[in-house]
Amino acid sequence: MQLVEKIIKGERAAIAKAITLVESSRENDKNESRKLISELLNKPGKSIRVGFSGPPGVGKSTFIESFGRYLVEKNYKLGILAIDPSSQITGGSILGDKTRMIEISKNPNTFIRSTPSRGSLGGISAGTREASIILDAAGYDFIFIETVGVGQSETMATNLVDIFSLIVGPGSGDELQGIKKGITEYADIFIVNKNDGDLKSEASKTASDYKSAISYYKKSNDTADKEVLLVSAIEQTGMEKVIETIQNIVSQNKKNKNFDERRAKQLTYWIEEEVREIIQFNIQNKIKADGSISQLSQKVMDGKIQMFEAIEAITQNLQNK
Amino acid sequence: MKTKNSENYTKWQKSFEQETKIDLKEASSETDEGIEIKPVYTKADIENLSFVDNDSLPGQFPYTRGPKASMYTNRPWTIRQYAGFSTAEESNDFYKKNLKSGQKGLSVAFDLPTHRGYDSDDDLVMGDVGKAGVAIDTVEDMKILFNDIPLDQMSVSMTMNGAVLPVLSSFIVAGEEQNVNKNLLSGTIQNDILKEFMVRNTYIYPPDPSMKIVADIIEFTSKEMPKFNSISISGYHMQEAGADNVLELAYTLADGMEYVRAALSKGLDIDDFAPRLSFFFAIGTDFFMEIAKLRAARTLWYKIMKDFGAKNEKSLILRTHCQTSGVSLTEKDPYNNIIRTSYEALSAILGGTQSLHTNSFDEAIALPTDESARIARNTQLILQNETGVTNTVDPLAGSYFIESLTDELSKKAWEVIEEIESLGGMTKAVKAGVPKLKIEESATKKQAKVDSGSRVVVGVNKFKNPKEPKVDVRVIDNNRVRDDQIKKINDIKASRDQKAVDESLAKLVTAAKEDSNLLARSIDAIKNRATVGEVSKALEQVYGRHFATSLSVSGVYGKHFEGDEDFMNVTKKVNIFEEENGRRPRVLVVKMGQDGHDRGAKIVATSFADMGFDVDMGPLFQSPKDVAKDAIENDVHAIGVSTLAAGHKTLVPELMKSLKEIDPKSKIIVFVGGVIPEQDYDFLYKNNISAIFGPGSNIIESAEKVIDLISDKIHKNN
Ligand code: B12
Ligand SMILES: Nc1nc2c(ncn2[C@@H]2O[C@H](COP(=O)(O)OP(=O)(O)O)[C@@H](O)[C@H]2O)c(=O)[nH]1
Ligand SMILES: [Mg+2]
């Protein structure tokens, strides 16, 4: 496949087209996408995939710009996938992340792709996982995934990334009570942003709130410690500590096999999901083709048969096809 | 007990309802500001007003009726036309001609590189030199600009905010080298950075150091330049960016309060600097509202300054320059603009402005020609000399409608001012992006009204001219200007005392670090022939360059079109497109070069998203190369270039080249919107531009055209 070679060579347009393909909702594209991904999985790169989630406006994009600037100076190659919410009313979207990533988007060692979330409420969009495989094969050292909201932390951590970090703002410690369980379980790093100017003392307080919250979390012996870090994206402070922490977690998890296990679990989960999707798709097609549902439901309405009988008959019928 | 008044009113109401067959309650209209306009006003409407004092006279507090007792009966307003283009030589020529023809004051328009602190030889400004104003790189340019114009006699206004230090310094040194001491210089420096962050977009440094620079200038001028206005607190650009009159008025005064606080923090006494604060408002098409706005502005500023403890009467009085609205002027049937401008000018005069700029009829096409500038100037000369408007001070005082509207506007604006104050003042509000977003929301609503036809714009959405006239345009060859400027810069750099330059720049950097007054230090550097760019860069080392974060409104445009057929037709097409292509049509909207006009780009982006497009929004000031990288990485179907500052002939071909460099087989289509003279259409089409959307384009129609073009392209490729 020519596309694969171009991706591995790092051709920008090919990578971009490939991401379009894996994000496509068109049925024809899905098989092609699966083929492409299968081939790319045979040629894995060395990327570390890091997720950044957090509520809108905490500074995720600004942080990625700032942290990214720090990393490209050290000659790392960065792939960035930013997922923006689509409007639930119109289905359209304004993808504005790049207005916060001005410097790094000029850098030849970055690839930045914004993606509308489409159905999935600002969380992970269809194709994010595949897109990260493409960037991995293309040779990016880090893949950053920006998503809105804390609700996705579980999916994000279990499906997609090697390290999951939650970005929060000063003063968000109060909301901690409600969401404690989910995040303490899934987040590897808590980044308290906007540690600057008037907000400094509030930011420190928030950091200690998070520290005490994660102390509840019973740590199993072999996982890396969760960390709470203070940064200012605007003043570009705290960045060394973030990369250090990421590298520590990676090396520790690699040592104790957690890293590979997590990826293996993700793969299993992914295959299962794909299978589910295919079956669901097939069934849907069968249902569309099969006229018996409306006939039988009419019979139910008319009181000729009972509902459960109708269900049984339809299921039988579909399974036999 | 019924008074005669209320009896009359009841009678009138009956007749009104008979004539119109409309219930009086239903007969009011609502302005953009949300103010109810009634069919008739009576004495009852001017009883118990909150801000207006019906008994006050011109030149008396609260100065509603004018800053001076005699107003135009003594001396008419100053005709002050804003102009500048190409080189200092050409602009100087233009100024001298205008002064001979009856213009009274000068007002300098700088080009965008100068505004943003770049020298003409900087790669970043390739397409912008001399295009939308005059290029000034060194004090030598400034001296040429005022050649044969004695600076001790001519009052000069300079619209400069970002690079205010080197430019004001150049002006001061140019005066000195004309043998005019700085204490004799009269005029105004705009020096209003807050509205730059909001709408005008020629900032350089982040908000906090920028505010320090403003305060330094107020401090320096209040001590050394008694005849010079240290700031022109501007609402003009807000209205032009889409603000309604309440927002314009409130944000401007709130900005003013912030500058007063900044100056006070320097330890100055309020009465030492407040008399030299001046204002600048836009005068749009809403005739009475604009008159009321100027009257309300003076009324509120009086109250604000009283609250600050000002004692000198001059500190309490708001003096203002006005400019008729450029955005009300159309590309279509452009001679209509002469008429619009005349009415707006009359509004400004009835409102009591101290000076006025009237726009030329080719406003939406290019910079004015000699001919169009002459007509614009004559609009004011006719008002002054032929109509009798100068004979009576504040002739509309006592009008039930005007007084009531003045009070209503004051009340509404005061609420908004209190809102901003509760956020901690304008600097904080601006950092949070609140005012910018409010203005964009208001702009989007206005666009929706015009696109839906609920607001009539003659010649654009109604009463179109079937035979559009051809008009001449001023053409500026930016490559030639740039070459000239580079040559001058090189000559100066070769002949100056480099050591002195380096030392003075180092001292400037130290001053910035130590927080001492920067204007004095920057005057030294400029005297030594440091360039505008060098001075700006020196400070950039300390402060960094500011990048704005841009928020977007959503749903405002779409809401106006609920159930609209044309709108739904486009959304339907978008949905079909998605089904066929597995994704929505995706468009990258960009601004390239130093052009900071973002109103159109922001409106188009939000409206397209409301119609279901996926819209990538680029930041301001991108290079064509950056745009190409963005477009290709995001695999967009199309790039929409919004260009208003005349950089298109340089920047668009560059973009096409950059796209091919990254992807020789790129299928991305490119279209262009904004201010493009018809004379340039062929050139753009030859560069493979797929469509051009000029001023006044209906966004729904544009969106349909864009999706059709994208679909065609896809079908052709398959
Ligand atoms: C508003 C305005 C301003 C505002 C801008 C506010 C803002 N944040 O945008 C303010 C007052 C700040 C301003 C300042 C200046 N301005 Co001005 N400004 C205008 C004005 C009056 C209207 C522009 C506008 O916003 N129209 C409303 C919007 C909605 O229309 P639009 O942008 O044209 O967009 C429509 C279409 O063009 C099209 N479209 C546009 N983009 C796109 C993109 C896509 C994808 C699509 C599909 C369609 C599309 O659809 C839109 C909807 O109809 C024009 C003259 C005019 N009447 O056009 C001058 C004008 C553009 N300005 C001009 C100048 C010179 C300046 C300054 C450089 C002056 C100076 N020397 O200091 C400054 C600097 C500003 C800067 N940073 O760049 C000149 C440019 C000269 C030229 N091209 O030759 C003009 C033409 C006036 C003139 N004749 O002198 N300006
Ligand atoms: N004070 C401060 N503001 C920040 C910082 N990082 C981001 N912001 C601001 O927070 C707002 C939202 O930032 P953005 O990156 O778009 O947030 P996102 O929605 O999480 O991606 C912007 O106005 C930023 O300027 C920071 O470190 N300090
Ligand atoms: Mg973001």
Side-chain angles (χ1 to χ4, degrees), chain B residues 673-686:
Chain B
V675 173
I676 322 271
E678 232 178 84
Q679 285 83 338
D680 295 349
Y681 277 31
D682 264 355
F683 173 88
L684 291 174
Y685 288 133
K686 282 199 184 111

Side-chain angles (χ1 to χ4, degrees), chain A residues 288-299:
Chain A
K288 251 190 236 156
D290 185 300
S292 67
I293 296 188
S294 57
Q295 287 167 21
L296 287 172
S297 48
Q298 190 56 48
K299 282 192 181 163

